[in-house]
Amino acid sequence: MADDNVSRETPASVEAEPQAAATLFSDATALDRARRFTHALAEQGEERGLIGPLELPRLWTRHVLNSAIAAPLFPAGRVGDVGSGAGLPGIVLAIARPDVQWVLIEPMERRVAWLSEQVEALGLSNVEVVRARAEEWSKGPVLDAVTARAVSALRTLLPLTAPLVRNGGELIFLKGQNAQVEIDAAAKQMRKFHVVDARVELLGEGVLAEPTRALRGRIARP
């Protein structure tokens, strides 16, 4: 199945691979996996309800590289991706950081099927796919970090993610231009879930056409 996917022609409307891809996926194996994943997403994503038709001309820039630029932020440990969806950022980060164990948490069956297919097709031994809502997580605060991309506002996201992270672990969310506004609006929730050192970091200036904003915070329970 993986061979069939790779051999089919990529849709003409998909964005050409930017030069930055070779920078962010500097290892040849990682770059090959990133290309195969992007190809599969371009070919099947719209049909399977993973991406909209307007995303093909910006698939690399807006989605794949936008996710990959955050890879150096994560600790070498066990990291959850809540609402992994099409695998953005979870699959991309797993490709870029094979030294990290990734747990992709996704409730929708069709998306879980896609994630599982990609893990197998790409040979990602550092990925576990869990079909569940974040609030159904029963293993306690065992993750070293949790990430999410385009899921919900911070004040809504904190109750879903902070309980999964060990004391001293990190929340690293990929956000848009209103990231600081989200921090300001979530002050009460941050106190409730013991999130400290909340800040926004701009990633990819000079590398990406459109930089990524990472909203970061640390769990400091008493």
Side-chain angles (χ1 to χ4, degrees):
M1 181 172 167
D3 290 340
D4 289 341
N5 288 343
V6 173
S7 64
R8 293 172 190 164
E9 186 176 346
T10 303
S13 56
V14 74
E15 179 183 19
E17 180 184 317
Q19 289 185 347
T23 300
L24 299 184
F25 300 102
S26 55
D27 176 85
T29 299
L31 182 58
D32 176 67
R33 283 172 167 161
R35 287 169 174 163
R36 289 162 60 195
F37 173 68
T38 305
H39 180 109
L41 193 54
E43 184 183 72
Q44 303 177 47
E46 182 183 356
E47 177 185 350
R48 298 178 67 164
L50 301 167
I51 58 172
L54 298 180
E55 302 310 311
L56 290 179
R58 54 187 186 179
L59 190 55
W60 273 103
T61 303
R62 186 177 176 86
H63 298 289
V64 176
L65 301 188
N66 178 277
S67 298
I69 195 70
L73 302 183
F74 293 91
R78 196 163 179 235
V79 177
D81 176 23
V82 170
S84 195
L88 302 163
I91 292 289
V92 175
L93 291 172
I95 291 170
R97 287 292 303 277
D99 60 316
V100 175
Q101 293 298 312
W102 298 90
V103 183
L104 310 188
I105 303 167
E106 169 58 48
M108 294 187 65
E109 183 177 4
R110 61 184 171 82
R111 292 176 179 171
V112 167
W114 160 261
L115 294 170
S116 299
E117 289 169 16
Q118 291 305 304
V119 168
E120 182 178 358
L122 298 171
L124 297 174
S125 60
N126 61 327
V127 178
E128 174 188 0
V129 180
V130 176
R131 185 185 177 191
R133 298 183 182 277
E135 56 267 38
E136 297 169 344
W137 180 264
S138 61
K139 300 178 182 180
V142 297
L143 301 178
D144 297 295
V146 164
T147 191
R149 179 179 183 269
V151 173
S152 60
L154 180 60
R155 61 185 178 184
T156 305
L157 198 53
L158 285 176
L160 304 177
T161 55
L164 283 61
V165 181
R166 64 170 176 80
N167 203 24
E170 268 203 278
L171 303 172
I172 305 173
F173 303 136
L174 305 187
K175 289 287 185 179
Q177 295 183 357
N178 292 325
Q180 186 59 53
V181 174
E182 290 192 33
I183 289 178
D184 297 339
K188 182 178 179 180
Q189 291 286 53
M190 285 194 291
R191 288 193 298 270
K192 180 179 179 179
F193 290 98
H194 311 291
V195 179
V196 300
D197 301 332
R199 64 200 185 276
V200 178
E201 295 183 8
L202 195 61
L203 311 175
E205 286 188 296
V207 178
L208 302 182
E210 183 179 339
T212 297
R213 286 169 176 80
L215 194 164
R216 304 181 69 179
R218 181 171 54 85
I219 302 296
R221 300 184 183 95

